[in-house]
Amino acid sequence: MYEEMDTLIEKASILIEALPYIQKLYGKTVVIKYGGNAMINEKLKNWVMEDITLLKYIGVNPIVVHGGGPDINSVLKKLNVESQFVNGLRVTDMQTMEVAQMVLVGKTNKELVSMLNQKGGKAIGICGIDGNLIQARKHYEYVNGEKIDLGYVGEVVSINAKVLEMLAKDEYIPVVAPIGVGEDGTSYNINADTVAAEIAKAIKAEKLMFMTDVEGLKYDKNSKEIISAISADEVLKMIDEGKIDGGMIPKVLGCIDALKHGVNRTHILDGRIPHCILLEIFTDKGIGTMIHL
């Protein structure tokens, strides 16, 4: 009996530890970039949906931005279409664009919406075409000074924040697929990390969180020690030194850009940890890396 009581008291202490964080975040908006292994592993996916639903029920307004690379790869493989990448961005011809839009908007987005609704949330799936949410233009990449045409790859021109605010500040959880639209109605495939950062900036979110397949930032890749908090200047120095590279670069640069445009806190999370969102937001220690100015 005493052991059971100790367990109950421990659970109560966890809730009390979360209280000041809940009070601080009540009524605020948190943008979550959902991706990596947490989108593939069903258990992890389930835990993430629970975290997001709980946030809404305690008065936080989550906005979810998702990728869908593995799903797109799977469909392209069935169609015998080979994927090419330049600096981590998918070269997107018309056929690939049609597949990306079909998969991201019609499959991945609706699966996430359905899961959140099953948890008791009221999720609404949208993409950048809806309400001109993400106005975009064609993006060019540069390799060794050479301008590379990536096809229907876009960059964000503007975000229609009103659409998201109407949903998020009501009872809904917006789930955003990273498809943008040009002035002429052309659809563009946009990096989901970039979209998440631009949305966070546009709505002046309290937090921007990137879910990844790494534990967090480290000063030394071979070290087991995760950096719990780091300044934007230190992050830029680590990029110059080659300590941050690959797919992590757009995430940390998105964090820094968001901070400079009014977002209060940004986080890099290990999406492989059960309930990583709740652990990062509502515990004293957290589990990932917080980037600040």
Side-chain angles (χ1 to χ4, degrees):
M1 179 180 175
Y2 290 111
E3 287 181 5
E4 288 180 9
M5 185 60 70
D6 287 344
T7 302
L8 291 172
I9 291 170
E10 186 180 346
K11 287 180 179 179
S13 68
I14 291 169
L15 291 172
I16 294 302
E17 182 182 337
L19 179 59
Y21 301 104
I22 294 172
Q23 291 171 324
K24 187 176 180 182
L25 282 173
Y26 185 83
K28 303 289 178 62
T29 302
V30 174
V31 176
I32 300 162
K33 161 53 195 345
Y34 177 49
N37 199 51
M39 285 193 75
I40 302 167
N41 182 294
E42 287 301 318
K43 264 190 177 180
L44 291 174
K45 192 186 287 188
N46 189 60
W47 286 326
V48 170
M49 296 304 113
E50 287 176 343
D51 287 7
I52 293 168
T53 304
L54 180 59
L55 287 179
K56 191 67 180 181
Y57 270 89
I58 60 175
V60 183
N61 299 320
I63 295 174
V64 182
V65 180
H66 65 84
D71 283 340
I72 295 171
N73 290 341
S74 177
V75 175
L76 289 175
K77 191 175 180 181
K78 289 175 183 175
L79 296 173
N80 293 317
V81 177
E82 203 170 309
S83 295
Q84 290 181 300
F85 294 86
V86 176
N87 290 344
L89 297 175
R90 186 189 300 273
V91 177
T92 308
D93 60 13
M94 177 58 80
Q95 184 182 20
T96 305
M97 183 63 229
E98 289 175 352
V99 169
Q101 185 165 323
M102 176 184 70
V103 171
L104 289 171
V105 179
K107 180 181 183 293
T108 309
N109 187 274
K110 299 314 171 196
E111 285 177 354
L112 298 179
V113 167
S114 178
M115 287 189 75
L116 284 166
N117 289 344
Q118 286 170 20
K119 298 295 179 188
K122 292 183 178 179
I124 292 184
I126 54 177
C127 74
I129 300 169
D130 301 310
N132 285 329
L133 173 62
I134 306 171
Q135 283 285 332
R137 63 179 168 230
K138 187 178 178 68
H139 173 78
Y140 293 94
E141 197 67 14
Y142 290 84
V143 178
N144 298 323
E146 183 185 352
K147 188 178 181 181
I148 306 295
D149 187 340
L150 302 176
Y152 294 90
V153 173
E155 57 188 41
V156 177
V157 174
S158 64
I159 299 290
N160 184 353
K162 187 177 180 181
V163 173
L164 293 171
E165 287 169 348
M166 280 194 317
L167 294 172
K169 290 183 178 179
D170 200 339
E171 57 189 325
Y172 302 104
I173 303 172
V175 181
V176 182
I179 300 292
V181 62
E183 283 187 350
D184 61 354
T186 301
S187 294
Y188 291 102
N189 187 20
I190 308 177
N191 180 280
D193 294 335
T194 303
V195 170
E198 291 293 335
I199 285 174
K201 283 164 52 180
I203 63 173
K204 298 289 190 292
E206 179 68 20
K207 287 182 183 287
L208 168 63
M209 312 181 81
F210 286 100
M211 297 181 65
T212 70
D213 287 338
V214 298
E215 297 167 299
L217 300 183
K218 298 178 180 180
Y219 289 116
D220 180 350
K221 290 179 182 178
N222 297 319
S223 170
K224 289 186 178 180
E225 188 177 350
I226 301 165
I227 303 169
S228 60
I230 187 171
S231 71
D233 288 341
E234 286 181 284
V235 168
L236 293 174
K237 185 181 176 185
M238 287 178 70
I239 292 173
D240 289 340
E241 293 171 348
K243 293 178 179 177
I244 297 175
D245 55 18
M248 186 57 71
I249 290 178
K251 291 178 175 61
V252 296
L253 291 180
C255 286
I256 293 169
D257 191 30
L259 288 166
K260 289 179 177 177
H261 287 84
V263 176
N264 284 337
R265 290 284 184 269
T266 61
H267 305 258
I268 303 292
L269 295 185
D270 186 350
R272 300 168 300 179
I273 296 175
H275 299 294
C276 63
I277 297 171
L278 299 184
L279 291 171
E280 177 64 16
I281 294 180
F282 296 130
T283 61
D284 292 335
K285 191 174 180 183
I287 57 161
T289 299
M290 182 179 75
I291 300 174
H292 57 84
L293 288 179

